[in-house]
Amino acid sequence: MLMRRTVETCRDGQGAHEAIGRGQAWEIRSEVVAKSEQQSRAVHAVLESKDLVTTLHGPAGSGKTTLSREIVAAIETLSGNSVMMLAPSSSAVGVLKSEGFTKAETFQRFQTDELLQSVASGEVLWVDEAGFLSSRQMHWLVQFAERERCRLILSGDTLQHHGVERGDALRVLENAGVVTQARLTTIVRQQVEPLRLAVQELSQGRTESGFDQLDQFGAVQEIEDKAERLNAIADLHLAARAAGESSLIVAPTHAECRAIADAVRAKQREQGVLGVDHMITRLAKTNLTVSQRRDPISWHLPEPFGFG
């Protein structure tokens, strides 16, 4: 029901507003964007949009950050409106600020902060990684934009991100055809051609083909023995750090992440990098949905303890 009303609001807002760029011409400043016909088209698609909601859709590595800087500069220069960037987490906001978007806040704070809402009235709201928004959150945001005469830009990748709560709101809006869509499909971050083609396949949902290309390139290593695998991961990670390179270890489950962290710390102790361990107690986010929080099977009670 919420998404039906959200779709209706977006449909009512189609062609009902002045172009975001006020109909003025914009000469692209970024050389990277100017050299890409696809990115240049995306800039003008957003500036020419007369819809309440506009989406910028593109996979990771397609140059959305560089493109976003260009579009924000264009909007603020041509329209006189400011652009407030919203993101689903504090870490994402930190990344936005490091990329030069100084007016950035979490969506959750914006939703509860009346002062921020008053500042945003009549301006442009841009939600990064909008695929994380649930149906309920998207409904609130679209209603706010309509009520406060804001224009709304949603950027993200529906194949990569989905809401923690119920609903796949961004995909619904795009599939319903009620928003102006600017799309990026070309991967620009990866410069090694075989790897770029593999990532391109993966970003478009062709997982088997992408994996096969990575395997042919020699980028896939399989180690069946768990202890041997953990040892190899730790060695590669520490070697990269010792060489001054960045290293990110990704695992599909929290249990595997903890096992890898233990292996890395064990190696660091052997090398004399770590000293005495200090145990601390912390609260960990469970990332349960509303339905899971209502189900007792998801609850974890503390284990009983006693004194001798």
Side-chain angles (χ1 to χ4, degrees):
M1 183 64 72
L2 280 180
M3 276 311 301
R4 183 180 303 168
R5 293 204 296 268
T6 304
V7 168
E8 290 172 354
T9 301
C10 291
R11 181 175 289 115
D12 291 341
Q14 285 187 294
H17 303 268
E18 184 180 14
I20 292 179
R22 302 281 175 88
Q24 301 183 63
W26 175 254
E27 185 175 346
I28 294 175
R29 300 173 179 177
S30 167
E31 289 187 17
V32 175
V33 176
K35 289 179 180 178
S36 168
E37 182 181 349
Q38 189 176 82
Q39 293 206 359
S40 297
R41 285 201 306 267
V43 171
H44 295 299
V46 174
L47 294 178
E48 294 167 8
S49 172
K50 296 182 179 181
D51 292 355
L52 173 64
V53 182
T54 302
T55 65
L56 176 60
H57 185 112
S62 60
K64 289 196 298 295
T65 300
T66 301
L67 180 61
S68 299
R69 282 197 294 265
E70 181 73 28
I71 294 174
V72 168
I75 291 173
E76 295 188 336
T77 301
L78 299 179
S79 71
N81 292 118
S82 65
V83 179
M84 179 176 289
M85 304 291 290
L86 303 177
S89 66
S90 298
S91 59
V93 169
V95 171
L96 287 174
K97 290 185 175 179
S98 70
E99 294 288 350
F101 301 104
T102 56
K103 291 174 284 190
E105 297 291 346
T106 62
F107 173 82
Q108 290 80 0
R109 180 183 177 187
F110 180 78
Q111 196 174 15
T112 58
D113 192 319
E114 294 182 358
L115 178 59
L116 281 178
Q117 293 173 17
S118 65
V119 170
S121 180
E123 307 293 349
V124 177
L125 292 174
W126 186 312
V127 183
D128 191 39
E129 297 181 356
F132 278 118
L133 294 185
S134 66
S135 297
R136 180 177 58 83
Q137 291 170 324
M138 186 68 78
H139 175 74
W140 181 91
L141 181 63
V142 169
Q143 297 304 316
F144 175 87
E146 182 192 41
R147 182 176 67 252
E148 297 297 327
R149 299 169 291 104
C150 296
R151 303 297 290 280
L152 184 57
I153 300 174
L154 308 172
S155 65
D157 178 14
T158 52
L159 290 176
Q160 184 181 11
H161 297 139
H162 304 278
V164 175
E165 296 183 21
R166 290 188 297 267
D168 198 355
L170 181 59
R171 186 193 303 275
V172 170
L173 294 182
E174 290 181 338
N175 289 345
V178 295
V179 296
T180 295
Q181 296 185 44
R183 285 187 170 269
L184 302 175
T185 57
T186 303
I187 303 295
V188 297
R189 180 184 301 162
Q190 181 52 256
Q191 299 300 308
V192 180
E193 184 65 10
L195 293 180
R196 188 185 66 79
L197 293 174
V199 173
Q200 189 88 34
E201 291 292 286
L202 293 170
S203 71
Q204 295 177 8
R206 295 189 285 270
T207 305
E208 186 174 355
S209 173
F211 183 87
D212 287 343
Q213 290 190 43
L214 288 174
D215 196 15
Q216 291 170 15
F217 184 74
V220 178
Q221 298 182 41
E222 295 184 75
I223 303 175
E224 291 189 16
D225 182 76
K226 180 179 179 180
E228 185 181 348
R229 182 170 63 251
L230 292 175
N231 188 62
I233 292 172
D235 283 341
L236 286 171
H237 174 73
L238 294 177
R241 296 298 299 272
E245 300 174 352
S246 63
S247 177
L248 175 66
I249 303 174
V250 180
T253 67
H254 290 298
E256 289 175 278
C257 287
R258 287 191 290 269
I260 293 170
D262 289 342
V264 171
R265 290 176 63 82
K267 288 282 185 180
Q268 289 177 316
R269 288 193 196 92
E270 291 176 9
Q271 298 174 5
V273 176
L274 293 183
V276 179
D277 283 345
H278 297 278
M279 302 298 293
I280 61 172
T281 300
R282 66 180 179 88
L283 297 177
K285 191 173 181 179
T286 58
N287 292 318
L288 298 178
T289 65
V290 174
S291 297
Q292 288 172 325
R293 290 198 296 268
R294 291 172 177 167
D295 190 342
I297 199 172
S298 302
W299 302 348
H300 299 282
L301 299 177
E303 295 182 1
F305 65 95
F307 298 95

